[in-house]
Amino acid sequence: MLAIALFVYFKNKYSLDSKLLLFIALAFSLWTFFDIILWTNNDSRNIMFFWSLINLVELLVSVLTLYFAYVFLEKKDVSFKFKLIIGGLMSFFVFLIPTKLNIASFLLFNCEAQQGILLNYYRILEAFFSFWIVIYLFRKIKNAINTEERKKTIFLSLGVIFFILSFSGTNIYSSITTQWEILQYGLFGVVVFMSFLAYLIVKFQAFNIKMFGAQALVVGLIILIGSQFFFVRNFTNQILTGITLVLAVVFGWALIRSIKIEVERKNQLQEMSSRLAQANDQLRKLDNAKSEFISIASHQLRTPLTAIKGFISLILEGSYGKISAEIKDVLNKVYLSNERLIELVEDLLNLSRIESGRMEYKFEKINLGEVCQEIYDTFVLRAKEKNLDLDLVLDKNLAMEAVTDRNKIREVISNLVDNGLKYTPKGGVKIKLTEVEEKIQIAIIDTGIGVPEEEIPYLFSKFSRGKDISRLNAGGTGLGLYVGKKMIEALGGRIWVQSAGANMGSTFFIEVPKEQGEGE
Ligand code: ADP
């Protein structure tokens, strides 16, 4: 028991609980030492002397246990006032030790001492301390703030209560009934439960129990094998024992070393993961701040942009007088640039709506064939300007009706067609509608720059843009596909891309259910 306590003490020299555990072990060892003298000595003067002291040591063990439990759980020392009161109770006992009130006489022939009134005083005190510890521990368990705290308190309580039961309990019981065998069982318990308390210190003070276990195992094994030398007489057996001992030392050393490395790695990992968690937290806060900023900024941007659009339209229509063809041409360019700006602001607004969960969806029965026709009509001119073909493939026999949000789905398909035209230098774009089981599938197939396989997983992420697009000089934010994916998912559908690779064209698919499920 002393060995365990010393081990824990040297691992945590500066912690009060490991010091207290060492004191408990010292007090208990002292008690055992006195007890051995009591049972083995024949000189009644020696027996009288140690018998008068042993009760004080016993009391010391229970006071120290209470002190230990408090320090272990509260992580602080008890107040000075408190120490004075307990010290007072104990010193009162100390002064009376050499008097007749403690041990009046000792009869060697039947090994019995005549004990005075002080015995009752010490029993009451010991019982009082024991109850105090139990009540204190129960209150701590009840008021524990989290499960970790509660677990720790329950473990400690079990250790401490069994420790007290096996030491003070069996002691008091034996001295009342004079059945001293019970006390002997109790003494074994004391060692077991003190080892348990040592384990708790080790476990909750963050140095690794595995290490402790391995060291204890190896030392135990070496002692066990070494002790064989005292019993083995035969020379061959002595050599065999010697070899076993050397092997145990070598493998034991290797085991301890490998565990040490593992423990160090684990500690490093733990530290790294806690740093990562902090960084992650920081990132989340930044991300929130960014969303907030985007939302405010885009709302402020939208109003003046709409005003610019309105005024340019009025000028172009001639509301402010006739304008020259040259100015008209310039103004048209201003108008188009302004349109792109409005689109961009709209993308950012969509992003902030999605991220704050404020995007609203309106479900109604619509004809997707009609929607695609409208989109085709809007883009056919732009395709022609770029010398690209734009096709719409519809199966006239199919209804193509779905319950979904008309504006949202149109926005997503338009964006895909827009992308198709943007990222296709030659060839064309095809919009194709089909019905697949209970769903409608819209495919936007182009013959453009395609998507390299390694980019596919990131394509639908926020602000993600392919690395090949720079040479196309195509404007954009990398938000369209992200917003589209969020919208389609909210509509109960899915969106994905297929491409044979760079410059092999790409096909974007949208699939939406014809009917919306319950509660949507
Ligand atoms: P943006 O077009 O504004 O960059 P998107 O989210 O719409 O943003 O698209 C993200 C990226 O996906 C594009 O930057 C491009 O690299 C790639 N991409 C989208 N559509 C196509 C397409 N039809 N062909 C090839 N690449 C595409």
Side-chain angles (χ1 to χ4, degrees):
M1 200 163 127
L2 261 178
I4 296 170
L6 275 171
F7 179 80
V8 172
Y9 171 72
F10 281 114
K11 284 279 176 188
N12 300 274
K13 254 191 208 153
Y14 302 106
S15 89
L16 186 56
D17 33 13
S18 59
K19 273 186 206 153
L20 283 172
L21 198 77
L22 182 60
F23 280 129
I24 296 177
L26 279 173
F28 179 71
S29 307
L30 207 63
W31 187 94
T32 320
F33 176 63
F34 287 0
D35 202 41
I36 291 174
I37 293 177
L38 284 185
W39 289 102
T40 53
N41 210 284
N42 282 332
D43 188 333
S44 55
R45 283 169 303 175
N46 285 344
I47 296 177
M48 281 279 284
F49 179 74
F50 286 108
W51 200 319
S52 2
L53 281 178
I54 201 165
N55 292 343
L56 176 72
V57 180
E58 200 171 317
L59 202 55
L60 208 61
V61 173
S62 38
V63 173
L64 283 172
T65 313
L66 177 63
Y67 192 4
F68 167 78
Y70 181 87
V71 170
F72 182 83
L73 292 178
E74 308 287 337
K75 293 259 162 292
K76 61 172 196 229
D77 201 352
V78 294
S79 69
F80 183 65
K81 202 172 80 192
F82 198 77
K83 283 183 194 161
L84 263 184
I85 296 173
I86 302 289
L89 284 172
M90 297 280 289
S91 59
F92 174 60
F93 192 60
V94 173
F95 289 126
L96 296 177
I97 282 176
T99 68
K100 282 204 158 86
L101 290 175
N102 189 11
I103 307 285
S105 62
F106 174 73
L107 302 172
L108 198 54
F109 74 90
N110 66 353
C111 255
E112 274 303 330
Q114 200 188 335
Q115 306 207 55
I117 179 112
L118 205 60
L119 181 70
N120 296 329
Y121 178 63
Y122 110 80
R123 275 186 193 154
I124 290 169
L125 261 190
E126 200 169 337
F128 171 69
F129 284 135
S130 306
F131 277 118
W132 190 349
I133 297 176
V134 173
I135 289 166
Y136 168 71
L137 288 174
F138 271 111
R139 279 186 41 194
K140 278 307 271 191
I141 294 175
K142 222 180 96 198
N143 300 334
I145 34 173
N146 52 35
T147 40
E148 174 72 359
E149 179 86 30
R150 176 162 295 135
K151 214 167 80 184
K152 179 172 150 181
T153 317
I154 290 176
F155 276 139
L156 179 84
S157 308
L158 286 176
V160 164
I161 289 169
F162 280 112
F163 179 77
I164 290 173
L165 272 183
S166 54
F167 184 64
S168 307
T170 52
N171 229 325
I172 295 177
Y173 180 79
S174 309
S175 72
I176 293 173
T177 59
T178 65
Q179 281 183 319
W180 297 105
E181 308 82 55
I182 304 282
L183 174 60
Q184 282 168 19
Y185 292 122
L187 294 183
F188 282 109
V190 173
V191 181
V192 173
F193 294 117
M194 215 207 70
S195 316
F196 182 65
L197 295 183
Y199 165 74
L200 285 187
I201 296 188
V202 170
K203 182 172 157 78
F204 290 104
Q205 295 286 340
F207 81 77
N208 207 294
I209 187 62
K210 262 194 196 161
M211 195 64 199
F212 175 61
Q215 284 169 348
L217 179 79
V218 170
V219 171
L221 213 63
I222 291 171
I223 291 175
L224 207 69
I225 299 170
S227 66
Q228 291 290 307
F229 276 113
F230 294 102
F231 306 110
V232 179
R233 296 270 167 268
N234 181 307
F235 181 65
T236 326
N237 282 352
Q238 271 176 352
I239 290 192
L240 280 179
T241 312
I243 293 173
T244 320
L245 189 63
V246 171
L247 285 178
V249 171
V250 172
F251 284 116
W253 180 77
L255 173 75
I256 291 175
R257 234 180 73 106
S258 73
I259 290 184
K260 197 170 170 183
I261 293 172
E262 190 203 330
V263 166
E264 271 163 17
R265 275 213 198 110
K266 205 173 116 194
N267 287 347
Q268 279 172 351
L269 258 177
Q270 246 164 6
E271 194 176 321
M272 256 157 60
S273 78
S274 84
R275 270 203 232 138
L276 253 179
Q278 275 175 5
N280 206 5
D281 210 42
Q282 200 72 22
L283 269 178
R284 197 168 311 130
K285 278 186 200 144
L286 272 175
D287 198 47
N288 285 345
K290 180 218 67 200
S291 303
E292 187 108 329
F293 169 75
I294 287 177
S295 161
I296 295 169
S298 21
H299 272 110
Q300 304 292 335
L301 278 170
R302 201 156 68 155
T303 330
L305 287 178
T306 329
I308 293 172
K309 180 182 167 135
F311 284 121
I312 296 176
S313 301
L314 286 176
I315 298 174
L316 283 172
E317 283 161 15
S319 305
Y320 297 101
K322 247 186 143 19
I323 49 167
S324 71
E326 222 174 4
I327 293 180
K328 206 172 195 170
D329 190 39
V330 173
L331 270 182
N332 258 325
K333 283 184 182 141
V334 175
Y335 185 86
L336 282 178
S337 296
N338 193 52
E339 279 293 276
R340 276 219 83 78
L341 254 180
I342 291 175
E343 245 171 59
L344 180 109
V345 170
E346 198 50 46
D347 269 354
L348 289 176
L349 265 174
N350 275 337
L351 174 77
S352 84
R353 279 190 205 114
I354 284 172
E355 297 204 328
S356 60
R358 278 182 286 125
M359 186 69 101
E360 281 169 13
Y361 295 88
K362 207 174 90 200
F363 288 91
E364 59 186 327
K365 197 173 196 117
I366 58 161
N367 188 315
L368 277 164
E370 275 172 29
V371 172
C372 286
Q373 186 65 52
E374 282 168 26
I375 293 171
Y376 174 84
D377 294 342
T378 328
F379 281 97
V380 73
L381 253 176
R382 173 139 19 125
K384 210 167 257 163
E385 279 167 15
K386 273 195 82 181
N387 268 330
L388 296 171
D389 299 322
L390 183 63
D391 289 317
L392 175 64
V393 184
L394 275 175
D395 189 339
K396 292 269 184 282
N397 299 323
L398 298 172
M400 301 295 177
E401 280 181 337
V403 177
T404 191
D405 184 316
R406 182 187 203 96
N407 288 335
K408 300 286 186 306
I409 198 142
R410 185 172 43 207
E411 202 174 323
V412 181
I413 302 172
S414 294
N415 184 43
L416 292 184
V417 175
D418 185 39
N419 275 351
L421 294 174
K422 214 161 61 174
Y423 299 116
T424 303
K426 70 172 194 286
V429 178
K430 196 189 311 177
I431 311 168
K432 192 175 160 194
L433 267 87
T434 41
E435 283 189 16
V436 184
E437 291 165 6
E438 285 308 292
K439 293 170 187 129
I440 295 184
Q441 193 184 75
I442 304 133
I444 292 95
I445 308 151
D446 69 46
T447 56
I449 61 167
V451 185
E453 204 180 331
E454 68 274 11
E455 282 181 16
I456 289 183
Y458 309 104
L459 217 58
F460 292 89
S461 313
K462 227 187 294 180
F463 300 110
S464 120
R465 306 201 71 201
K467 66 176 175 8
D468 285 343
I469 55 170
S470 49
R471 63 191 161 85
L472 286 176
N473 206 10
T477 52
L479 280 176
L481 290 182
Y482 172 77
V483 168
K485 183 174 159 75
K486 293 282 172 192
M487 284 182 178
I488 294 295
E489 279 170 0
L491 297 175
R494 57 191 196 106
I495 180 170
W496 71 100
V497 64
Q498 275 176 7
S499 172
N503 295 319
M504 307 288 282
S506 31
T507 305
F508 285 80
F509 293 94
I510 298 175
E511 215 171 65
V512 281
K514 285 195 214 165
E515 300 290 337
Q516 290 297 322
E518 297 263 307
E520 279 180 279

